């Protein structure tokens, strides 16, 4: 039996378990996703696009014979790499932004790695989109047309292992970028040695025990059920895109910049999305561009979608880690060093973000009290599937090696790894032991019966003759605060009070399942509680439309709820002021003499004389009152968030590839639970989901 | 009916394809074309615009396309349209507006179990599988629920909440029948 949830501060709407606002819509099948709009019966003239994919890990197209494919009945258009429409497009990268900000071509995050061509002729992995794309009356006809294309392939030597790819003489994947497969140092992630604190050699010399370990993190895939798709119409110089990509304004920027059309000529519409898990972070995909070009050339709407197989073509990248840890006999860690090699696959995308971002954040929030820390990392091209972001970008890879090292240290020193974590890990702003970490770990340990179930490697029970089980924990105290979200720019919210006191809330963010829509409505109800309304009186606009909505706040960092809530709190004050301005003449008073509480207006100096807001609104002008507020996240570092996890250690899984005693807990941001974050300056509620 | 779904040579035109969908007799006119490979899932979505069911995998692996055929939950991506000829199909659109399973999934929010849905893409499939289960076994055990739902995937990972929702729906049904 789990203890009941008790919020620290009792509020009307925030701080309790409540059903999702989209529950009925989704459970009844009425919620519309992008693919539900793209039916032939709903979109007259719809064409289906399919792209040629390389069957070889490394090859060049010497030539294409399209004669049979183009003559197939039902084929409306074929576009090849030799066509000026695509040959003239700039080289690009699928990760212009990590979803936080909206970035142009010149300012994209990875401008050192513009390694993608839109429909190029150089295939770098099995599945690479190259050569040609077909638009046809059905997907099956398009697929048949692809089979009829005669491709003259020049097969090239390939390399799959990143260490082999670094060796002299290895086949070079991107000769246009340099004569090595090692990615150059970039301006975002920093130098190859990107953390160098204290003196690592001295730290190891001071240690009583030094341990080394290596880990290779396997790939994983986001694989949301809603396969990536887009429907594009290009009519009279105006492009309309319906998509389940989750960053509408960034998609608009991407298409505008790559196809050289004004921003206001591109409209992106994003309804509900059936999960994304980080996939959308490489949202600047070439498929948007060739689909748009097909729509332009044919004058008809064109739909491109990934098949289930193709939806596996993204994921969390392999990272090989080598780690060294040094500690005193009492468990005090004196040195921590990591050297990583990221197998980025054929295209860099966001790989360097995973390789460098997570360790840097960990340095601030977990390793701040270790005196000597050194991180070195590099990305290497290989002829494998490119991989980039997945929930908790880079954290799982880092936590695997960290868990190995701490586990080994615990065995060597005969100290419980939990105690080692509590003794050594903590935020830069807090003295050890870190209260947050200790609370989470001790509570989780009690709930999973850590002491009773813990055993040494190889000594645990065997289930069904083959399965080995162990308990474990992860200690990555990742978190996001407003100052970390500064790059988002302004966060927008528009509140409209209608004449009947119902509310229309435009807090634009593409709903991918995270529940920030519910948090927004509850936050709005809390902020407007003076109107005496409930969450049922608030309509949240569920579709982001760049022609109608302010810039959307992209679902990353588990931060949308608190960022938009802060803006709603500001907007609610303006709503009250405007309401009083509207109502005051009816009461023959100045706005400053009035106030509103629980749905009633009253004179501050005459308690008891109260009139319903709703009634007064009907008597006044019936014009809706609209307040649009935008605000940048606060730049000040407000303090240490206290994280109170209500359900984190209840499940334990075996970590694939690790021994039975390996660390195997869930990260906070992946544990699908509601957490409350509290800082000294303010309180925020975040719904953490995958 | 949408145009031919394969190349010109393989188009077939079965005369008088007829189904009962959500209680309505539906005939495909003789001029329409259905390829031998057209699935029931595709037919329901593309022709009848019944988009509650989803086709994430199209290979019987995820359960999101589940509909009820003659009282039994089936994966509509694994049923050919022509195989459904003469059969009765119930899709999520055919459930009553106050269906207790839909309501239980929508309202599920419970400490320790969480919600029964997040992105909601898989939810109609789970609801239809649960509907077929409760029609057959009105008061299932947790084990029976898990077994019945074992062919449905929720990528958001709401399994604990989903089982609770089915249990709650079963309780609602029991209360209703007791009255």
């Amino acid at each position: 039996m789990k203890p009941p949830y008790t919020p620290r501060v009792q509020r009307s709407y925030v701080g309790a378990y409540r059903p999702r606002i989209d529950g009925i819509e989704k459970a009844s099948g009425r919620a519309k996703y992008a693919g539900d709009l793209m039916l032939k019966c709903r979109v007259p003239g719809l064409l289906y696009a399919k792209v040629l994919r390389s069957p070889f890990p490394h090859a060049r197209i010497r030539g294409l014979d399209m004669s049979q494919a183009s003559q197939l009945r039902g084929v409306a258009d074929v576009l090849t790499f030799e066509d000026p429409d695509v040959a003239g497009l700039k080289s690009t990268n699928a990760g212009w932004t990590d979803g936080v900000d909206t970035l142009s071509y010149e300012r994209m995050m990875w401008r050192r790695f513009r390694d993608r061509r839109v429909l190029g002729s150089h295939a770098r992995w099995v599945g690479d989109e190259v050569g040609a794309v077909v638009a046809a009356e059905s997907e099956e006809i398009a697929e048949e047309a692809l089979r009829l294309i005669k491709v003259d392939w020049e097969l090239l030597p390939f390399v799959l292992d990143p260490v082999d790819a670094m060796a002299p003489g290895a086949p070079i994947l991107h000769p246009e970028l340099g004569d090595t497969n090692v990615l150059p140092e970039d301006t975002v992630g920093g130098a190859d040695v990107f953390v160098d604190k204290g003196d690592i050699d001295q730290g190891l010399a001071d240690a009583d025990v030094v341990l080394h370990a290596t880990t290779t993190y396997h790939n994983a895939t986001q694989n949301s059920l809603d396969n990536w798709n887009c429907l594009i119409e290009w009519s009279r110089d105006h492009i309309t895109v319906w998509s389940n990509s989750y960053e509408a304004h960034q998609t608009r920027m991407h298409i505008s910049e790559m196809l050289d059309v004004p921003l206001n000529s591109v409209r992106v519409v994003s309804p509900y999305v059936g999960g994304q898990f980080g996939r959308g972070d490489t949202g600047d995909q070439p498929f948007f561009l060739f689909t748009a070009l097909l729509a332009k050339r044919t004058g008809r709407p064109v739909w491109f979608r990934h098949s289930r197989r193709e939806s596996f073509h993204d994921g969390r990248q392999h990272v090989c880690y080598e780690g060294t840890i040094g500690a005193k006999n009492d468990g005090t860690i004196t040195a921590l060093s990591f050297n990583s090699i990221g197998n980025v696959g054929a295209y860099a995308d966001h790989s360097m973000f995973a390789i460098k971002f997570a360790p840097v954040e960990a340095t601030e929030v977990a390793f701040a009290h270790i005196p000597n820390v050194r991180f070195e990392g590099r990305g290497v091209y290989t002829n494998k599937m490119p991989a980039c972001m997945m929930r908790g970008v880079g954290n799982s890879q880092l936590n695997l090696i960290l868990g190995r090292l701490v586990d080994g240290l615990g065995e060597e020193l005969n100290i419980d790894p939990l105690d080692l974590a509590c003794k050594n890990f903590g935020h830069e702003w807090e003295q050890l032991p870190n209260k947050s970490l200790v609370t989470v770990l001790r509570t989780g340990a009690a709930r999973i019966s850590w002491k009773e179930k813990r055993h040494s490697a190889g000594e645990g029970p065997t289930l069904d003759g083959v399965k080995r089980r162990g308990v474990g924990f992860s200690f990555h105290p990742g978190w996001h605060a407003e100052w970390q979200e500064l790059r988002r720019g302004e966060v927008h919210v528009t509140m409209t009070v209608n004449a009947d006191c119902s509310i229309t809330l435009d807090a634009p963010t593409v709903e991918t399942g995270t529940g920030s829509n519910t948090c927004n409505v509850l936050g709005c109800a809390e902020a407007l509680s003076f109107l005496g309304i409930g969450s049922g009186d608030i309509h949240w606009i569920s579709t982001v439309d760049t022609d109608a909505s302010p810039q959307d706040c992209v679902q990353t960092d588990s931060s949308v709820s608190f960022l938009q809530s802060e803006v709603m709190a500001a907007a609610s004050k303006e709503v009250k002021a405007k309401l009083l301005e509207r109502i005051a003449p009816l009461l023959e008073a100045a706005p400053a003499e009035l106030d509103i509480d629980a749905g009633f207006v009253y004179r501050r100096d005459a308690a008891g004389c109260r009139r319903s807001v709703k009634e007064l609104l009907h008597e006044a002008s019936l014009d809706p009152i609209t307040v649009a507020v935008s605000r940048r996240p606060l730049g000040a570092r407000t303090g240490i968030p206290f994280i109170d996890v209500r359900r984190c250690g209840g499940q334990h899984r075996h970590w694939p590839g690790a021994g039975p005693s390996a660390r195997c807990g869930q990260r906070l941001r992946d544990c699908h639970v509601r957490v409350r974050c509290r800082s000294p300056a303010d309180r925020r509620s975040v719904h953490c989901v995958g | 009916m949408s145009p031919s779904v394969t190349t010109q040579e393989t188009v077939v035109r079965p005369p008088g394809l007829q189904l009962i969908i959500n209680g309505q007799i539906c005939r495909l006119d003789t001029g329409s074309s259905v390829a031998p490979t057209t699935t029931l899932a595709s037919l329901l979505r593309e022709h009848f615009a019944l988009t509650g069911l989803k086709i994430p995998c199209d290979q019987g692996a995820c359960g999101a396309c589940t509909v009820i055929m003659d009282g039994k939950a089936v994966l509509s991506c694994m049923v050919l349209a022509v195989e459904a000829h003469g059969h009765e199909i119930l899709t999520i659109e055919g459930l009553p507006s106050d269906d207790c399973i839909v309501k239980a999934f929508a309202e599920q929010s419970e400490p320790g179990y969480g919600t029964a849905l997040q992105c909601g893409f898989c939810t109609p499939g789970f609801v239809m599988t649960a509907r077929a289960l409760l029609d057959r076994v009105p008061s299932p055990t947790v084990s029976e629920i898990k077994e019945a739902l074992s062919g449905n995937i929720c990528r958001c990972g709401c399994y604990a909440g989903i089982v609770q929702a089915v249990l709650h729906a079963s309780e609602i049904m029991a209360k209703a029948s007791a009255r």
Side-chain angles (χ1 to χ4, degrees), chain A residues 361-383:
Chain A
E361 188 178 64
T363 309
E364 291 172 3
V365 300
F367 309 142
H369 298 276
I370 298 173
N372 308 296
V373 181
R374 187 177 192 276
F375 287 162
E376 185 174 355
R378 49 185 57 78
V380 180
Y381 288 119
T382 67
N383 294 106

Side-chain angles (χ1 to χ4, degrees), chain A residues 26 33 36 140 222 672, chain B residues 5 45 54 118-119 155-156:
Chain A
K26 287 179 172 176
Y33 300 80
D36 299 334
E140 289 76 8
Q222 301 93 351
H672 297 266
Chain B
V5 291
R45 279 181 61 87
K54 310 295 182 219
Q118 287 183 16
C119 80
R155 183 68 178 95
C156 300

Side-chain angles (χ1 to χ4, degrees), chain A residues 12-14 18 495 503 505 518-538 568 572:
Chain A
S12 302
Y13 296 98
V14 176
R18 288 177 188 276
M495 281 181 186
I503 307 296
L505 174 63
T518 304
C519 291
N520 279 339
V521 166
L522 297 176
C524 183
E526 194 77 56
L528 295 178
S529 58
F530 60 86
L531 287 176
I533 59 167
S535 56
D537 297 311
I538 299 165
M568 282 193 292
S572 67

Side-chain angles (χ1 to χ4, degrees), chain A residues 417-495:
Chain A
L418 268 174
D419 295 332
L420 281 178
C422 294
K423 186 180 180 69
N424 289 287
F425 299 129
H427 203 283
E428 61 184 340
W429 299 327
E430 194 173 46
Q431 294 300 309
L432 293 178
N434 180 304
K435 277 193 264 181
S436 166
L437 186 68
V438 170
T439 305
V440 169
L441 289 183
R442 297 292 178 213
T443 305
R447 290 196 186 170
I448 65 171
S449 305
W450 169 259
K451 292 227 178 279
E452 296 76 25
K453 290 182 180 169
R454 173 86 182 152
H455 55 77
S456 299
E459 292 178 8
T462 301
L463 308 174
D464 303 331
V466 287
K467 294 177 188 166
R468 307 300 296 272
R469 289 271 168 86
V471 291
F473 68 95
S474 177
F475 38 82
H476 188 100
W479 64 287
H480 280 270
E482 281 200 278
W483 64 267
Q484 289 169 303
E485 302 296 328
L486 278 173
R487 287 191 290 120
R488 279 182 196 267
E490 294 193 336
V491 177
H492 299 258
V493 165
T494 303
M495 281 181 186

Side-chain angles (χ1 to χ4, degrees), chain A residues 220-227 244 246 273-282 308 311 314-316 388-394 510-514 555-557 669-670 672 688-690, chain B residues 118-122 153-158:
Chain A
T221 181
Q222 301 93 351
N223 210 8
S224 39
L225 288 189
D226 190 2
N227 294 345
N244 61 357
Y246 81 146
V273 174
Q276 84 87 26
F277 311 110
R279 172 190 68 185
D281 283 310
T282 48
R308 172 51 39 195
S311 76
D314 201 348
R316 176 182 281 154
C388 59
M389 296 265 209
M390 193 166 158
R391 285 292 290 164
V393 53
V510 179
E511 218 301 302
T512 60
T514 64
Q555 296 280 346
T556 62
D557 300 351
R669 277 187 283 167
D670 273 350
H672 297 266
C688 287
V689 292
Chain B
Q118 287 183 16
C119 80
F121 207 71
C122 66
I153 290 175
C154 170
R155 183 68 178 95
C156 300
C158 300

